[in-house]
Amino acid sequence: DFHDELKNTTAGYASFDISDADPPHQEANLSKVDIMLNGDIVDPLAFVCHKDDAQAQARVVCKKLHEVLPRQQFVTVIQAKADGKIVASERIKAYRKNVLVTGGSKSVGGGDITRKKKLLEKQKKGKKRQQTSGKVSLSQAAFNSVISRS
């Protein structure tokens, strides 16, 4: 019996009271909202809310992540998914670094423009490869500020 077990473990100090809910429990139209960083679902940030509020709440979380997460060498996409649809999205721009300018105002020598274009194309390929393999880490401070939602 649960009541006897409760009294035994708490040396008689605990009590347990059951009453019917007033008003009685009702069915609600809820949906689970998943937060994704670069296509990877971040489970600790997932939450359940009413379907009518899902988009607004997801937008708030995405905006907060946009403010908190640092910029990377690649574009970071923050998305919120509810009921299989993307309901909110934010993008953190990548750092821009032009390979033609090496340090300060020095630029890669003069000469043929095709050489410069070749270097820019090479940089573009590297950025694309980094985009596909890059992982975004969520720091504890960023996680706590998103959870607080203030």
Side-chain angles (χ1 to χ4, degrees):
D1 174 58
F2 176 74
H3 186 67
D4 290 339
E5 188 75 26
L6 181 69
K7 290 291 183 183
N8 288 338
T9 54
T10 61
Y13 284 104
S15 63
F16 189 74
D17 188 25
I18 301 173
S19 60
D20 290 332
D22 187 36
H25 295 293
Q26 299 176 16
E27 220 176 276
N29 204 0
L30 302 176
S31 72
K32 180 184 177 194
V33 180
D34 288 316
I35 304 296
M36 301 188 304
L37 292 176
N38 278 354
D40 296 332
I41 293 176
V42 182
D43 280 330
L45 292 179
F47 59 94
V48 177
C49 67
H50 199 274
K51 277 191 181 179
D52 297 342
D53 299 333
Q55 186 173 9
Q57 298 250 351
R59 205 172 291 272
V60 168
V61 172
C62 285
K63 279 256 191 258
K64 191 70 172 174
L65 276 172
H66 184 267
E67 294 168 7
V68 172
L69 286 176
R71 286 174 76 179
Q72 305 284 337
Q73 291 292 330
F74 49 89
V75 175
T76 305
V77 181
I78 305 163
Q79 295 175 318
K81 185 169 80 170
D83 299 325
K85 293 186 290 193
I86 304 296
V87 292
S89 181
E90 289 283 336
R91 295 173 77 84
I92 301 175
K93 291 181 182 177
Y95 281 123
R96 300 281 298 168
K97 183 173 182 185
N98 192 340
V99 288
L100 299 181
V101 179
T102 51
S105 62
K106 281 186 185 175
S107 63
V108 173
D112 196 12
I113 191 74
T114 56
R115 188 167 149 248
K116 291 181 178 181
K117 286 191 176 184
K118 179 183 169 190
L119 280 173
L120 287 173
E121 284 299 317
K122 197 173 177 183
Q123 180 187 14
K124 192 191 283 185
K125 284 181 186 173
K127 289 260 188 192
K128 192 166 275 196
R129 186 178 39 212
Q130 205 173 24
Q131 172 72 36
T132 58
S133 65
K135 296 281 182 215
V136 180
S137 61
L138 188 65
S139 69
Q140 190 65 40
F143 177 75
N144 289 341
S145 67
V146 171
I147 292 297
S148 69
R149 289 194 207 171
S150 56

